[in-house]
Structures are given as C-alpha cells and as structure tokens.
Amino acid sequence: MPEFNYQKICENILNILPQRQREVIERRYGLHGRKKETLQAIGNDFIVSRERVRQIENNGFLQLQSQKERKELKDIFSLLSRYLQKQGGVKREDFLLRDIGGNDSQNNVYFLLTGGFKLYIKRVFFFSGGDVGAITGGGNGGGGNTKFSFQSFY
C-alpha cells in the first residue's frame, strides 16, 4: 500500500533542523535504515544526559511544526484517514505500519504519526492493554499491542 516515498519526505522535512537535532530524531525513530535508539545510547555518544537528549529532540519538534502545512503531510494524513475508515476506525500499530509503510518505511511512518506532525489530528488515541491515552511521540514503536484511532482531521 505504500503510495509515498516516506523516507524522502522525512529527509526533506528534517533538512530544516541543525545537524544535532536531526541526528537525535533520526536515531530515536530509526530513520535512514537505523535501529531505534534510546535516549541513554544517544546521550552516551554525545556525552550528555538522557534529559539533554530529550530536550534536543523536543526542540527539534518545535522547529518542525513549521513544516505542518506541507502538501505531502496533508496527503499522508488523508490516506491514513481513508485507510482507518476502511478498517472500522481502529488498527493495531504493527499492522498499520506494515500496511501503510511496507517493509522499508515503517519507522518513517511511525515518525510522521507520533512525531511533531500530530497537529493535523485533533484527537489521536492509542489503545494498549485496555488503557486509553493521547499519543505523545517516542514510545516503543512497533510493539504490536498498540492501536491507532484517528478521530478527526483538520
């Protein structure tokens, strides 16, 4: 079902960031073929605390909010809305990422869903073990027990 080059879209979006912020986000979300890394692992490489890495990541997301009007993002969220409507409004995370991102772009799709671009979505909830909460980014990604539900779009 991949209709977009998610890796290229993520690259273009992240290009506005300073190198350090871009690298932290790429490593946290496993972009460009990397594995997802913890705050601690990235902090060890940069010789800073986990908290400082989290701050760098959050500052990057604040800067990325300027990208929310990109046509590619609107098109992606429109595709996701149609997809989830066909699925009855809820889909388990691992299935959604596989169906939308294929084998090669699951981390990119996860980044777009949980990263700094939630502004298109008025309410996004995940369901895990019966609990309901708002998606805040990061997370375990691809855990298989999470479900996405998109309530409404801008």
Side-chain angles (χ1 to χ4, degrees):
M1 178 174 194
E3 297 181 21
F4 299 96
N5 185 339
Y6 297 107
Q7 183 173 348
K8 187 68 172 167
I9 291 168
C10 290
E11 284 175 24
N12 292 340
I13 290 167
L14 291 171
N15 276 337
I16 70 160
L17 297 178
Q19 175 62 31
R20 193 172 206 182
Q21 289 176 349
R22 184 172 52 242
E23 184 176 346
V24 164
I25 290 173
E26 289 171 352
R27 290 174 67 176
R28 286 285 290 151
Y29 285 87
L31 304 179
H32 305 299
R34 293 180 161 141
K35 289 189 176 196
K36 294 177 184 178
E37 295 184 49
T38 64
L39 294 170
Q40 185 67 52
I42 298 168
N44 290 344
D45 287 348
F46 285 150
I47 312 173
V48 297
S49 68
R50 291 183 308 228
E51 176 60 20
R52 181 65 188 129
V53 174
R54 188 193 60 73
Q55 291 169 356
I56 292 168
E57 179 182 30
N58 287 340
N59 288 336
F61 285 132
L62 287 174
Q63 288 187 34
L64 289 177
Q65 289 181 10
S66 68
Q67 300 291 299
K68 68 180 182 171
E69 294 301 320
R70 293 180 72 106
K71 182 182 180 330
E72 300 112 319
L73 291 177
K74 290 180 181 181
D75 292 345
I76 289 168
F77 289 122
S78 177
L79 168 73
L80 290 171
S81 178
R82 290 189 311 272
Y83 171 81
L84 285 170
Q85 285 175 347
K86 289 179 185 176
Q87 304 299 316
V90 177
K91 187 72 171 184
R92 207 170 89 177
E93 176 188 325
D94 55 341
F95 294 152
L96 179 138
L97 295 175
R98 183 198 62 214
D99 291 351
I100 299 293
N103 292 327
D104 299 327
S105 296
Q106 292 182 26
N107 287 350
N108 297 87
V109 172
Y110 185 79
F111 165 70
L112 293 170
L113 286 173
T114 62
F117 306 104
K118 300 184 293 259
L119 299 174
Y120 279 111
I121 307 164
K122 288 186 179 176
R123 285 194 236 156
V124 181
F125 295 97
F126 67 91
F127 304 89
S128 182
D131 296 329
V132 179
I135 291 179
T136 58
N140 65 356
N145 293 324
T146 303
K147 296 179 182 176
F148 284 95
S149 173
F150 289 77
Q151 303 299 324
S152 57
F153 289 79
Y154 284 57

